[in-house]
């Protein structure tokens, strides 16, 4: 008999309206997933692509914007190198600066100070490696601002001139700012405020923002023991993302928005099926009077909900992907990734079924005598 499946056709207008609402929620889910992934990529993509397992910060550094607050020394890095579970430990500089290209175009850069030839230096997809103190390898996205190989970049106030010798093969940003890799010694002079041609104080050449840690065979070192020996405060690579400017606030905001979206989806589906169950009480009573079990009616109603949810979410996700593909590369921090979209769609289905199940449970209270009429 399958009353619920037959109703999908005979009450198609109502179900199409409900499906349209769920499809719109699915589109919004895809867009929010793309924005969330885009913000992550724009905020910490350079950190994500750093071949390490952890960063060691200055002890007691405030978590937010810790990279710009922290100062560590070569002595502390040496103490990390001496640990048996650490394969490499290197000073790593991080600071955001304003600059201009040789043509006068303003650009913002996050300077990553690294030892040339070390494990921290990226392999350029175009150009060459760091050889001179004024060489920089920059994010591929700087091409969009008119930067090309051989161009010069002049740092504001200091007048330090840097030569673009290479581009990475992918986007590398930190705090929504394009990254430039340069020799650590040059970074130390810039960080100390030394102008072009000047030398910094001797102590500046033994300091950096953090210590980049690479564990043996890719394993995370014993951070607690290392911190106790070196007097630092280490975080795993993923844990260090919160130290990017504004990253925690952005992720909390997106998580809150998505949480409300999923809650709204469950409430909307639950409200629809609750009203729908009330409207079909007489039909359900007839089926009960004919001998249908409560379990059969519950399964029948849930199948109805599954069909509506699967069809609507599939259409919504398809439309969302089509809309999202047009937003990629538009300047908005937006990136479509399979994992978040699939997880979001599955969560919408699960929460929608939960909402529908709560509404459909009232079927268990349908009295077969209702089929005879209320006045008999």
């Amino acid at each position: 008999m399958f009353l619920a499946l037959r109703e999908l056709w005979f009450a198609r207008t109502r179900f199409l309206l409900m499906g349209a609402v769920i499809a719109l929620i699915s589109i919004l889910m895809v867009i929010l997933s793309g924005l969330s992934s885009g913000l992550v990529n724009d905020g910490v993509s350079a950190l994500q692509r750093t071949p390490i397992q952890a960063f060691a910060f200055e002890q007691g550094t405030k978590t937010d914007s810790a990279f710009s607050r922290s100062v560590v020394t070569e002595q502390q890095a040496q103490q990390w190198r001496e640990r048996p579970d650490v394969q490499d430990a290197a000073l790593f500089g991080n600071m955001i600066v304003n600059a201009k290209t040789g043509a006068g175009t303003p650009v913002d850069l996050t300077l990553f100070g690294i030892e040339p030839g070390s494990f921290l230096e990226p392999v350029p997809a175009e150009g060459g490696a760091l050889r001179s103190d004024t060489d920089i390898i920059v994010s591929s996205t700087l091409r969009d601002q008119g930067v090309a190989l051989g161009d010069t970049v002049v740092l504001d106030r200091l007048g330090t001139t840097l030569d673009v010798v290479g581009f990475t093969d992918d986007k590398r940003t930190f705090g929504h700012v394009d990254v430039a890799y340069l020799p650590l010694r040059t970074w130390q002079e810039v960080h100390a405020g030394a102008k072009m041609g000047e030398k910094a104080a001797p102590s500046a050449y033994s300091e950096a923002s953090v210590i980049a840690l690479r564990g043996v065979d890719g394993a995370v070192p014993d951070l607690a023991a290392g911190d106790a020996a070196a007097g630092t405060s280490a975080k795993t690579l993923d844990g260090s993302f919160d130290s990017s400017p504004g990253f925690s606030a952005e992720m909390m905001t997106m998580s809150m928005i998505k949480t409300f979206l999923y809650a709204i989806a469950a409430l909307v589906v639950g409200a629809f099926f609750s009203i729908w169950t009330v409207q079909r009480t007489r039909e359900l009573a007839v089926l009960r009077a004919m001998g249908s079990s409560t379990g059969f009616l519950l399964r029948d109603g849930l199948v109805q909900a599954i069909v509506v949810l699967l069809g609507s979410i599939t259409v919504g996700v398809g439309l969302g992907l089509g809309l999202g593909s047009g937003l990629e590369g538009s300047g908005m921090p937006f990136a479509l990734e399979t994992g978040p979209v699939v997880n979001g769609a599955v969560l919408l289905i699960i929460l929608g079924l939960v909402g529908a199940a709560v509404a459909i449970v009232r079927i268990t209270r349908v009295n077969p005598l209702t089929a005879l009429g209320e006045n008999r």
Side-chain angles (χ1 to χ4, degrees):
M1 297 176 61
F2 302 104
L3 174 65
L5 295 180
R6 294 171 182 268
E7 288 172 338
L8 290 175
W9 174 252
F10 289 105
R12 54 187 176 275
T13 302
R14 300 180 188 180
F15 282 102
L16 283 174
L17 288 173
M18 180 59 196
V21 173
I22 298 174
L24 289 173
I25 292 175
S26 302
I27 293 173
L28 184 56
M29 179 274 296
V30 173
I31 299 302
L32 289 176
S33 296
L35 285 172
S36 183
S37 297
L39 287 172
V40 171
N41 290 340
D42 220 38
V44 295
S45 60
L47 296 183
Q48 289 176 321
R49 293 166 176 80
T50 304
I52 62 170
Q53 280 70 53
F55 282 113
F57 295 80
E58 179 184 4
Q59 196 170 47
T61 303
K62 186 178 177 181
T63 300
D64 186 37
S65 299
F67 280 98
S68 60
R69 303 173 189 272
S70 172
V71 177
V72 295
T73 65
E74 173 61 28
Q75 182 181 1
Q76 290 174 308
Q78 183 59 37
Q79 290 174 318
W80 274 103
R81 292 189 195 104
E82 294 172 355
R83 297 201 54 77
D85 55 353
V86 175
Q87 180 177 342
D88 293 293
L91 291 179
F92 181 90
N94 182 312
M95 67 181 298
I96 297 176
V97 298
N98 302 119
K100 289 184 176 66
T101 64
T105 303
V107 292
D108 294 326
L109 292 175
T110 297
L111 300 181
F112 277 8
I114 59 173
E115 286 292 346
S118 71
F119 64 98
L120 293 173
E121 182 176 346
V123 177
E126 181 183 355
L130 300 175
R131 294 185 177 89
S132 168
D133 286 345
T134 58
D135 287 350
I136 56 173
I137 298 173
V138 298
S139 170
S140 61
T141 48
L142 269 176
R143 288 194 187 95
D144 298 335
Q145 300 185 44
V147 178
L149 281 179
D151 283 354
T152 59
V153 176
V154 182
L155 303 186
D156 289 355
R157 298 190 306 276
L158 301 179
T160 303
T161 300
L162 303 173
D163 303 312
V164 178
V165 299
F167 284 98
T168 62
D169 61 351
D170 49 21
K171 176 180 181 177
R172 302 212 179 188
T173 53
F174 175 84
H176 306 287
V177 178
D178 292 308
V179 164
Y181 296 85
L182 77 166
L184 179 62
R185 181 178 179 83
T186 304
W187 181 91
Q188 290 166 332
E189 292 175 350
V190 173
H191 186 256
K195 294 185 178 181
M196 186 71 175
E198 296 180 350
K199 296 294 183 182
S203 60
Y205 294 104
S206 63
E207 296 177 345
S209 302
V210 293
I211 303 168
L213 304 172
R214 185 164 65 164
V216 176
D217 297 328
V220 178
D222 186 341
L223 301 183
D227 284 339
T232 55
S233 177
K235 298 179 180 181
T236 62
L237 180 61
D238 289 347
S240 70
F241 295 167
D242 288 342
S243 300
S244 173
F247 182 82
S248 296
E250 290 172 351
M251 292 302 100
M252 288 175 62
T253 300
M254 294 304 300
S255 296
M256 184 177 67
I257 293 173
K258 288 192 287 187
T259 298
F260 276 105
L261 176 68
Y262 294 133
I264 290 170
L267 288 173
V268 167
V269 174
F272 173 80
F273 280 100
S274 179
I275 295 172
W276 181 243
T277 302
V278 171
Q279 292 178 341
R280 59 202 285 260
T281 299
R282 287 187 178 278
E283 289 81 359
L284 294 173
V286 170
L287 291 179
R288 289 292 303 276
M290 294 173 63
S292 297
S293 66
T294 300
F296 172 83
L297 295 179
L298 289 173
R299 289 193 300 272
D300 200 34
L302 284 176
V303 168
Q304 187 181 71
I306 291 173
V307 171
V308 173
L309 288 169
L310 285 177
S312 304
I313 291 175
T314 300
V315 171
V317 169
L319 293 174
L321 292 175
L323 178 61
S325 62
L327 296 176
E328 289 187 303
S330 63
M332 180 186 300
F334 189 91
L336 288 174
E337 296 180 355
T338 302
V341 173
V342 171
N343 292 337
V346 171
L347 193 54
L348 280 179
I349 292 172
I350 292 174
L351 291 176
L353 283 176
V354 170
V358 171
I360 293 172
V361 163
R362 70 180 298 125
I363 290 175
T364 60
R365 298 194 295 271
V366 173
N367 188 346
L369 293 178
T370 304
L372 298 175
E374 295 178 348
N375 299 323
R376 298 194 176 192

